[in-house]
């Protein structure tokens, strides 16, 4: 089988298109690159969906944690504490078995036991909690003068939040949020190792890399391939978030702009 | 455990649970919490030592050494750490067996990699196939500890490298002006002063390390995740005196609470240490402390 045939057979294997059987012997480099790349579809899917949904919830959480309402503040604080204080790996397991038990009560919960929805929910809540804490920190660092100026212009309530507080919050939080996004994508590799079944061997990049490492008993080829994919993905994220950062900082003189510094000492 | 546990099927709920929670299997589950703590106790200092070596190497004036240190620090960027966990466990195992094979069986002429097999002579196997089960478990655990230490050493090296650079340059220049050698400046001036800058990063790392411990399960160690899955699954009366439905969700809830409590306690303790260390320091936090007291 030529490499082009392999691409044809396995490029979309992870979403159930193409060849049904995974390669079983005589593994070629091409097969490993294509199949692991195919698995990246899942990582990107989890990452983007959780990031977009999580961004909205994170803003809400940050505002709630900063609010003067006691119950709202406590609820947000606890949500953030639970998801930041426990390992994501355990959260996945817990959520999977929770959905599995709920399935017994009502068939409504059937789709939740699949990775595509169940794991996405966990990642969504998890990233919302981490980003919520980042946004909360930024919300507290919004300069007092900005808010006073808004008051002076007669801006209040939602208008003040939308036009003054929120953009400044995002600008201050953006470097940290970039790191959060990178680690969210890294965290997506845990999904298929934590209870959620890979239906018909449709797994993510690490699932296939692990498959090859198990079959060939040679970790020196599949894992570096996977690492290559993730480094590329990280560079894309850094690039895209850098563009947003540039836009958020466009009104500031060059020397006062926040630079995105990549700080990798975070993990769930 | 208790005398009334002879026939659990007739017991009322409280007594039943008292018996169930003290069965031998559950004791293994409790012991696995010890495994996690043991891992933390060994990994934290070893990783710190790896990190220190890495950061010191990255600062070295010997170019190849500084490259080595910088590569080690950069290693963990961009790639999910779980990949390193899965990779190092096999790679270390094969590397060790390969070295032993070269030393112990020099007359062996077949290739080590034959298709999908990794073949070394029987004397080079780690641990030897004749050794008792306990050694296999110890070996597996040691590999896991080493893997954790390498990965977290890289994180720690990153933190310490940053901390070393945060020490005011004037301090080092003063040391040089007094005629101290590079080695003396490093050990007497740089290292004692860097810790206060490193502590926030290191406490973050400690939290991260706690939250990474369930990954032991992926490295093939019988840890809390393994036992929670084993014990929580539905049990029928044919195989056990304590039949129950699928309780895995409750077991994992217990683990969740365990980790929440653990991270919370760590957070409180680390905050206290930080407050103690910043006392009187010429940093923003130290200044804030001084103002609050005044």
């Amino acid at each position: 089988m030529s490499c082009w045939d392999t691409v044809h057979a396995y490029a979309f294997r992870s979403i159930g298109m193409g060849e049904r059987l995974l390669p079983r012997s005589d593994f070629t480099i091409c097969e490993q690159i294509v199949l692991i790349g195919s698995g990246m579809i899942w990582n990107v899917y989890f990452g983007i969906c959780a990031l977009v949904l999580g961004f909205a919830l994170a803003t809400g959480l940050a505002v709630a944690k900063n609010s003067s309402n006691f119950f709202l503040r406590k609820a947000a604080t606890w949500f953030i504490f639970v998801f930041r204080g426990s390992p994501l790996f355990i959260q996945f397991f817990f959520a999977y078995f929770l959905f599995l038990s709920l399935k017994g009560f009502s068939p409504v919960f059937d789709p939740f036991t699949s990775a595509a929805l169940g794991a996405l929910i966990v990642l969504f809540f998890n990233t919302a909690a981490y980003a919520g804490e980042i946004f909360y920190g930024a919300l507290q660092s919004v300069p007092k003068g900005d808010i006073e100026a808004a008051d002076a212009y007669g801006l209040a309530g939602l208008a003040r939040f939308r036009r003054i507080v929120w953009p400044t919050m995002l600008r201050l939080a953006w470097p940290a949020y970039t790191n959060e996004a990178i680690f969210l994508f890294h965290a997506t590799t845990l999904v298929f190792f934590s209870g959620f079944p890979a239906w018909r061997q449709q797994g993510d990049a690490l699932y296939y890399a692990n498959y090859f490492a198990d079959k060939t008993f040679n970790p020196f080829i599949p894992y570096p391939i996977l690492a290559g994919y993730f480094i590329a993905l990280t560079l894309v994220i850094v690039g895209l978030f850098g563009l947003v950062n540039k836009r958020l900082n466009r009104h500031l003189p060059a020397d006062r702009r926040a630079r995105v510094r990549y700080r990798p000492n975070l993990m769930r | 455990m208790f005398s009334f546990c002879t026939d659990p099927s007739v017991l009322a709920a409280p007594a039943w649970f008292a018996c169930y929670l003290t069965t031998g299997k559950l004791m293994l589950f409790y012991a696995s919490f010890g495994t996690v703590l043991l891992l933390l106790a060994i990994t934290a200092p070893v990783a710190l030592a790896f990190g220190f070596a890495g950061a010191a190497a990255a600062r070295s004036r010997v170019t190849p050494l500084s490259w080595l240190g910088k590569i080690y620090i950069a290693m963990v960027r961009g790639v999910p750490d779980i990949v390193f966990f899965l990779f190092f466990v096999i790679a270390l195992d094969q590397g060790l067996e390969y070295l032993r094979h070269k030393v112990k069986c020099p007359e062996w002429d077949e290739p080590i990699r034959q298709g999908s097999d990794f073949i070394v002579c029987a004397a080079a196997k780690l641990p030897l196939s004749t050794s008792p089960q306990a050694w296999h478990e110890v070996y597996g655990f040691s590999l896991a500890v080493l893997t954790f230490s390498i990965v977290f050493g890289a994180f720690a090296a990153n933190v310490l490298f940053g901390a070393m650079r945060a020490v005011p340059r004037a301090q080092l220049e003063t040391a040089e002006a007094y005629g101290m050698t590079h080695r003396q400046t490093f050990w007497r001036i740089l290292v004692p002063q860097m810790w206060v800058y490193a502590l926030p990063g290191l406490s973050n790392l400690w939290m991260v390390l706690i939250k990474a411990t369930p990954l032991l399960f992926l490295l093939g160690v019988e840890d809390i995740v393994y036992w929670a899955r084993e014990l929580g699954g539905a049990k029928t009366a044919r195989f056990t005196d304590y039949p129950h439905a699928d309780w895995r969700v409750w077991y994992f809830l217990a683990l969740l609470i365990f980790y929440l409590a653990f991270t919370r306690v760590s957070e409180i303790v680390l905050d206290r240490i930080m407050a103690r260390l910043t006392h009187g320091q010429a940093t923003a936090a130290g200044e804030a402390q001084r103002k609050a007291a005044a």
Side-chain angles (χ1 to χ4, degrees):
Chain A
M1 200 151 77
S2 76
C3 194
W4 180 243
D5 291 336
T6 308
V7 172
H8 217 75
Y10 290 120
F12 294 102
R13 174 63 180 77
S14 64
I15 48 173
M17 283 148 76
E19 195 69 39
R20 205 170 62 80
L21 290 174
L22 293 182
R24 290 175 169 270
S25 57
D26 305 321
F27 305 93
T28 60
I29 299 270
C30 178
E31 278 170 348
Q32 306 202 13
I33 290 177
V34 172
L35 207 48
I36 293 171
S38 159
M40 288 299 288
I41 296 172
W42 278 104
N43 296 104
V44 171
Y45 158 78
F46 283 130
I48 290 179
C49 291
L51 204 61
V52 170
L53 293 171
F55 180 80
L57 182 57
T59 308
L61 280 172
V63 172
K65 192 171 174 179
N66 202 30
S67 100
S68 51
N69 182 323
F70 177 80
F71 295 103
L72 219 52
R73 195 171 65 233
K74 278 289 161 218
T77 310
W78 271 93
F79 184 92
I80 291 176
F81 169 63
V82 166
F83 280 95
R84 286 183 78 227
S86 59
L88 179 64
F89 198 52
I90 301 286
Q91 290 166 22
F92 275 133
F93 271 117
F94 176 68
Y96 177 66
F97 292 125
L98 180 69
F99 291 140
L100 212 55
S101 334
L102 288 175
K103 210 169 145 178
F105 294 107
S106 156
V108 176
F109 289 101
D110 272 1
F112 286 88
T113 51
S114 72
L117 186 59
L120 180 62
I121 289 176
V122 178
L123 282 169
F124 160 44
F125 284 161
N126 191 274
T127 188
Y130 276 88
E133 183 69 22
I134 293 171
F135 288 168
Y136 169 70
L139 210 53
Q140 289 199 315
S141 330
V142 171
K144 207 167 71 176
D146 285 18
I147 295 170
E148 282 166 3
D151 287 340
Y153 274 100
L155 286 171
L158 202 60
R160 185 177 76 177
F161 178 76
R162 197 174 64 78
R163 298 177 65 168
I164 308 295
V165 178
W166 194 61
T168 310
M169 174 194 96
L170 278 188
R171 177 173 67 82
L172 295 174
W174 207 254
Y177 189 60
T178 307
N179 284 309
E180 161 57 25
I182 292 167
F183 281 94
L184 173 66
F185 276 91
H186 288 185
T188 57
T189 51
L190 278 174
V191 171
F192 290 103
F193 286 85
S194 57
F196 287 100
W199 187 61
R200 288 186 182 164
Q201 294 187 310
Q202 296 172 14
D204 77 329
L206 186 62
Y207 177 84
Y208 289 123
N210 188 245
Y211 172 85
F212 284 119
D214 278 353
K215 294 281 177 200
T216 62
F217 208 57
N218 178 3
F220 297 97
I221 296 173
Y223 290 130
I225 293 174
L226 177 64
Y229 276 118
F230 265 95
I231 289 170
L233 185 64
T234 304
L235 290 177
V236 171
I237 298 168
V238 169
L240 288 178
F241 275 70
L243 288 179
V244 176
N245 192 47
K246 213 175 214 173
R247 184 169 164 83
L248 286 171
N249 282 292
R250 69 191 185 283
H251 60 288
L252 290 175
D255 59 326
R256 276 183 52 207
R257 287 181 187 177
R259 292 246 313 280
V260 175
R261 256 192 72 227
Y262 182 46
R263 292 177 45 214
N265 52 347
L266 276 159
M267 189 177 69
R268 291 88 202 285
Chain B
M1 185 81 180
F2 302 111
S3 54
F4 53 82
C5 290
T6 41
D7 186 8
S9 57
V10 297
L11 291 174
W16 190 91
F17 272 102
C19 292
Y20 174 69
L21 292 176
T22 51
T23 51
K25 288 268 181 180
L26 262 289
M27 289 299 168
L28 288 174
F29 176 57
Y30 303 142
S32 63
F33 283 88
T35 311
V36 169
L37 296 181
L38 185 67
L39 174 88
L40 281 171
I42 302 175
T43 307
V46 177
L48 197 59
F50 275 36
F52 190 80
R59 275 183 69 87
S60 163
R61 280 167 305 153
V62 185
T63 316
L65 202 58
S66 95
W67 271 85
L68 209 63
K70 282 188 179 136
I71 289 173
Y72 182 51
I73 291 175
M75 186 185 87
V76 289
R77 299 183 184 199
V79 181
D81 30 38
I82 173 178
V83 175
F84 286 108
F85 285 128
L86 293 177
F87 172 79
F88 273 121
V89 162
I90 314 181
L92 283 173
D93 184 39
Q94 291 189 351
L96 287 174
E97 289 195 343
Y98 177 80
L99 288 179
R100 278 169 62 93
H101 177 81
K102 284 284 166 206
V103 174
K104 298 213 168 188
C105 311
E107 70 284 358
W108 190 281
D109 54 359
E110 287 174 55
I112 289 179
R113 282 200 191 283
Q114 299 176 6
S116 296
D117 289 316
F118 182 85
I119 299 168
V120 291
C121 61
K125 283 262 190 297
L126 258 181
L128 294 170
S129 49
T130 52
S131 50
Q133 176 62 25
W135 278 113
H136 285 264
E137 277 169 25
V138 167
Y139 177 67
F141 185 73
S142 316
L143 268 190
V145 167
L146 195 55
T147 305
F148 263 75
S149 303
I150 292 174
V151 174
F152 279 90
F155 286 117
N158 191 48
V159 171
L160 293 180
F161 186 63
M164 284 177 185
R165 284 208 298 199
V167 172
R169 182 83 197 104
Q171 295 280 338
L172 307 182
E173 278 167 7
T174 311
E176 278 158 19
Y178 272 97
M180 284 192 185
T181 63
H182 260 275
R183 183 182 292 265
Q184 283 173 330
T185 315
F186 181 77
W187 285 109
R188 296 187 190 176
I189 309 295
L190 188 67
V191 172
Q193 290 195 52
M194 72 178 192
W195 295 108
V196 72
Y197 299 100
L199 198 70
L202 289 181
S203 30
N204 181 28
L205 204 57
W206 170 252
M207 306 299 243
V208 169
L209 184 60
I210 292 176
K211 287 190 269 172
T213 49
L215 297 179
L216 265 181
F217 169 67
L218 295 180
L219 310 187
V221 177
E222 293 186 0
D223 74 330
I224 44 182
V225 177
Y226 170 86
W227 283 111
R229 273 164 55 111
E230 282 291 300
L231 300 173
K235 300 272 188 292
T236 56
R238 269 176 63 199
F239 299 108
T240 167
D241 292 336
Y242 300 93
H244 60 74
D246 189 347
W247 280 357
R248 284 177 294 189
V249 61
W250 301 113
Y251 272 91
F252 277 100
L253 184 65
L255 293 192
L256 205 66
I257 292 169
F258 164 71
Y259 276 107
L260 283 176
F262 198 3
T263 47
R264 187 82 193 109
V265 168
S266 302
E267 204 168 60
I268 292 168
V269 170
L270 288 169
D271 279 351
R272 291 229 173 124
I273 295 176
M274 191 66 202
R276 166 85 39 109
L277 275 188
T278 46
H279 190 77
Q281 288 278 348
T283 57
E287 185 65 14
Q289 247 180 20
R290 192 183 63 78
K291 277 196 185 133

